[in-house]
Amino acid sequence: MIGLVIIFIALIILYLGVILFAGATFVKISLFALDKLAVFIASWYYTHHYFSVKFSSGYAIYFWDVLAAILAVIIYSALFKMIHRKLGLIGKILNFAISFLSSMTVYCVLVNGFITKETDYFLPLLNHDIANQAVNYIIITIIALVVWKRREEFLEEKEEFKEYYIVEKSDE
């Protein structure tokens, strides 16, 4: 009997661990890749409605949808890295804007879905509405700064690991 209770408690702990891990992973992906997900979904939608259904049939429709969506994400990522590398401050501002929108989206979804379960998208921290919104936007900005800093570090890591070789012309 005691062995059964121990197994039951272990299964509950394992279940909660898996749920927390999945939730944390979802939040991380949402914070750091929401822009790429939006590009993927938008290109899938427009490819499906304006190209795939007109030029293919059956399961080939979904092949073209996925192919176009992956290609759009690759192009978006390359353009974003190029803008960040070539335009400096504008790239950093664009990266912060994307980080802020991602943070605000994830924050509002989590608050609405798991905490308030009402029509509110902000935590009810204060009784005054405007002050409450200001505090929530400050929290979102702090989260966005953390996400922005991590995204900046990721973009700079990619540039640091590039190796450049100077090749001299030989007489052979």
Side-chain angles (χ1 to χ4, degrees):
M1 183 69 173
I2 292 176
L4 205 57
V5 170
I6 292 173
I7 291 174
F8 181 71
I9 291 172
L11 287 175
I12 289 174
I13 291 171
L14 181 66
Y15 175 76
L16 290 175
V18 168
I19 295 295
L20 288 175
F21 176 76
T25 302
F26 174 74
V27 169
K28 282 182 186 177
I29 289 172
S30 298
L31 284 173
F32 293 104
L34 193 64
D35 54 332
K36 291 178 180 84
L37 180 64
V39 168
F40 186 89
I41 291 171
S43 64
W44 178 305
Y45 175 81
Y46 287 111
T47 301
H48 184 78
H49 289 289
Y50 297 108
F51 175 76
S52 299
V53 295
K54 294 179 181 175
F55 296 105
S56 58
S57 62
Y59 292 120
I61 292 172
Y62 302 110
F63 169 77
W64 292 114
D65 294 344
V66 171
L67 186 66
I70 290 171
L71 184 63
V73 169
I74 291 170
I75 291 170
Y76 168 78
S77 298
L79 283 174
F80 186 78
K81 288 177 187 174
M82 184 182 70
I83 288 170
H84 188 268
R85 188 175 60 245
K86 300 281 186 193
L87 300 180
L89 182 63
I90 293 173
K92 291 181 185 296
I93 292 170
L94 181 64
N95 192 12
F96 181 75
I98 291 169
S99 299
F100 185 82
L101 291 173
S102 297
S103 300
M104 189 166 76
T105 302
V106 171
Y107 181 84
C108 291
V109 166
L110 289 176
V111 167
N112 183 283
F114 297 109
I115 297 172
T116 61
K117 295 187 181 182
E118 297 173 4
T119 58
D120 291 334
Y121 291 101
F122 294 125
L123 287 173
L125 301 172
L126 301 172
N127 290 334
H128 192 265
D129 287 337
I130 294 173
N132 190 47
Q133 280 186 339
V135 169
N136 277 280
Y137 278 119
I138 290 170
I139 293 170
I140 292 169
T141 303
I142 292 169
I143 295 168
L145 284 170
V146 171
V147 171
W148 173 74
K149 184 66 177 159
R150 181 62 189 121
R151 286 174 61 115
E152 286 290 319
E153 289 171 359
F154 179 74
L155 288 168
E156 290 171 6
E157 280 179 13
K158 291 288 186 177
E159 292 177 12
E160 284 179 10
F161 288 116
K162 288 183 181 176
E163 295 182 19
Y164 298 98
Y165 295 100
I166 299 174
V167 179
E168 294 180 15
K169 185 177 178 182
S170 66
D171 293 332
E172 295 178 4

